[in-house]
Amino acid sequence: MPAAAALLSFPMDWRQYQEAEVKITKLDVFHVNWNPGRSAWVRIWDDQGRWGIGEASPMNGGNASLEILGAFERTLVGADPLDISVLQSRLFHHYIKIGPEGAFAGALAAVDIALWDLKGKILGQPIYKLLGGAWRTQMPFYASIGDMRERSVEQVVSVVEQWLKIEPALVKIRFDPDKTCRDEDIPGDIAKARAVRKLVGEDFPLAFDGNNGYSVQGAIRVGRALEELGYLWFEEPVQHYHTESFHKVATALDIAIAAGEQEYTLQGVKRLIDAGVDIVQPDIVKTGGFTGLLDMAAVARAAGVDFVPHQTQPTIGHMANLHFTASLLHGHYPAEYADMSGQQSVVLKTPLRPNNGKFFLSDRPGLGLEIDEEQLGKRMIPWRA
Ligand code: CA
């Protein structure tokens, strides 16, 4: 028999679906209303009353991801929750035409994070153990501070001072400009970068996030200033979809160029690496959860590129990211932390806050989050109510 025919005659083993010892019985798909703002969460139940919880990227309240999660339910119910990679590939390929990026990848991420949480509870292990073990369980973080474009130099210095009180290992200033404009205030941006350097002293680690606000020439001008100021990385200097522009900027500058929070697929991350980006930053609530990030981290490792996941969601996303980065080889950058208000911790029995500049991972199973069901119930809006 020719080799091609032999391959075609190798069928999927659907019996595994029928004979699973543990089965998924239902999905709870819901918003958590923070008023203002909403998160898009899913809780996946098994036939023994256990559940895992996951989160999708919250863009536009996560509405589109919730809609897609509703569609996923019919594929997931009856399946073995431990078949995580098979389920992700099945969902990815079956529903590909409503993706493969954006809200679709966010829905895949929510399912994946929930299934890893459930797997941890089934096996009685924290996720970092299931990922192969933790290099560290005391996790330093970096302060990710936004809206710098609209603040004055004095306001920039003041907000960084507030964050320094909780002892971040690094500070990143994010400019969050109007992405339809470019190079709006390059001298002003550089002045703010200089003021922050002056505030923290010459050895403190700093990063600068252009949030896609520059032309190639503008980015090179800003990047040269950042090199002089000793910044560690220059994030998203140009539009995220212009990989050729990333190539030009990365070629012209010595400072590490970072990007990837707006990539959703393995192939998208590879394109950035091929363009010469030095640090890739996919996000666990956007890119297929743990399963997606594991593939991407392997591609980055093979290319000798640093892997520093993006993450700004303060409960499930943050905890999932901590488990992942704890298990990441050469994960010598701190984990992103963007919301020190603690507002969303109200739905947790133990608030997620850093202590002496670190987050501590416990050995509780799964994500290790203890949900305050009463508080969550007050904020929960079922998607198909
Ligand atoms: Ca960013």
Side-chain angles (χ1 to χ4, degrees):
M1 184 186 290
L7 283 174
L8 288 171
S9 69
F10 183 61
M12 289 290 299
D13 186 359
W14 287 94
R15 285 169 305 173
Q16 286 179 5
Y17 234 65
Q18 308 300 323
E19 295 167 6
E21 279 185 29
V22 184
K23 289 186 181 179
I24 295 171
T25 52
K26 67 167 178 166
L27 273 64
D28 293 335
V29 177
F30 58 94
H31 272 126
V32 188
N33 186 9
W34 306 113
N35 195 23
R38 289 182 173 190
S39 296
W41 288 11
V42 63
R43 190 176 337 217
I44 300 181
W45 295 82
D46 76 4
D47 55 0
Q48 296 177 38
R50 296 171 295 211
W51 52 264
I53 200 158
E55 170 168 30
S57 175
M59 190 58 68
N60 194 31
N63 291 357
S65 289
L66 291 184
E67 182 73 35
I68 295 166
L69 283 164
F72 285 175
E73 184 169 23
R74 71 180 75 100
T75 303
L76 292 169
V77 168
D80 184 335
L82 297 177
D83 288 348
I84 300 179
S85 294
V86 170
L87 289 172
Q88 179 158 136
S89 289
R90 185 167 285 156
L91 291 169
F92 181 86
H93 291 93
H94 189 79
Y95 294 94
I96 189 75
K97 290 184 179 176
I98 48 173
E101 301 194 333
F104 175 74
L108 290 174
V111 167
D112 190 83
I113 293 167
L115 289 179
W116 277 90
D117 187 28
L118 179 54
K119 179 179 178 179
K121 289 169 180 167
I122 293 170
L123 300 177
Q125 295 289 336
I127 291 173
Y128 62 77
K129 282 284 185 195
L130 303 177
L131 293 170
W135 293 96
R136 58 203 82 78
T137 52
Q138 299 181 22
M139 310 292 294
F141 68 93
Y142 78 78
S144 177
I145 314 173
D147 299 324
M148 293 307 194
R149 176 67 48 81
E150 67 188 39
R151 299 181 206 261
S152 67
V153 173
E154 293 73 25
Q155 288 168 334
V156 165
V157 168
S158 170
V159 69
V160 173
E161 277 178 327
Q162 292 303 310
W163 273 88
L164 289 173
K165 290 177 185 167
I166 59 166
E167 303 179 63
L170 178 153
V171 166
K172 180 172 91 182
I173 50 174
R174 309 192 328 250
F175 280 73
D176 297 317
D178 176 349
K179 293 185 191 190
T180 63
C181 307
R182 299 193 304 187
D183 302 343
E184 276 190 297
D185 185 15
I186 288 177
D189 298 347
I190 294 172
K192 291 168 190 173
R194 184 170 287 122
V196 172
R197 170 53 76 204
K198 189 173 172 210
L199 170 71
V200 299
E202 69 179 62
D203 293 330
F204 190 89
L206 290 174
F208 183 105
D209 189 346
N211 295 108
N212 320 106
Y214 302 112
S215 65
V216 169
Q217 287 69 31
I220 292 170
R221 199 171 142 203
V222 172
R224 287 191 177 134
L226 296 176
E227 285 170 354
E228 259 188 55
L229 293 167
Y231 276 62
L232 273 182
W233 80 72
F234 186 7
E235 183 168 324
E236 292 204 301
V238 292
Q239 294 288 354
H240 82 277
Y241 45 77
H242 278 167
T243 45
E244 286 182 24
S245 298
F246 271 105
H247 178 68
K248 290 177 184 169
V249 173
T251 303
L253 294 173
D254 292 328
I255 187 172
I257 302 301
E261 70 176 87
Q262 298 180 84
E263 294 297 342
Y264 299 89
T265 64
L266 189 58
Q267 292 74 18
V269 169
K270 183 175 183 298
R271 278 193 293 275
L272 278 183
I273 293 171
D274 290 345
V277 164
D278 303 286
I279 296 173
V280 287
Q281 306 171 295
D283 184 320
I284 201 162
V285 304
K286 296 178 178 175
T287 53
F290 291 97
T291 303
L293 282 202
L294 282 166
D295 278 353
M296 293 171 184
V299 166
R301 192 166 72 249
V305 166
D306 278 322
F307 198 78
V308 187
H310 173 269
Q311 182 46 237
T312 57
Q313 300 311 300
T315 56
I316 297 172
H318 180 68
M319 192 52 113
N321 188 51
L322 289 185
H323 279 269
F324 187 85
T325 51
S327 70
L328 186 65
L329 175 67
H330 298 155
H332 51 272
Y333 287 96
E336 183 164 21
Y337 182 48
D339 177 5
M340 68 167 170
S341 73
Q343 184 205 3
Q344 295 187 18
S345 272
V346 70
V347 300
L348 305 177
K349 287 183 183 165
T350 312
L352 279 175
R353 288 185 191 284
N355 192 4
N356 294 325
K358 296 200 173 63
F359 287 93
F360 293 82
L361 278 172
S362 77
D363 57 3
R364 282 195 297 272
L367 289 167
L369 288 171
E370 294 181 286
I371 303 291
D372 184 325
E373 297 291 349
E374 191 187 337
Q375 290 295 333
L376 180 61
K378 287 181 188 170
R379 291 162 178 79
M380 187 189 292
I381 305 169
W383 176 242
R384 285 161 292 186

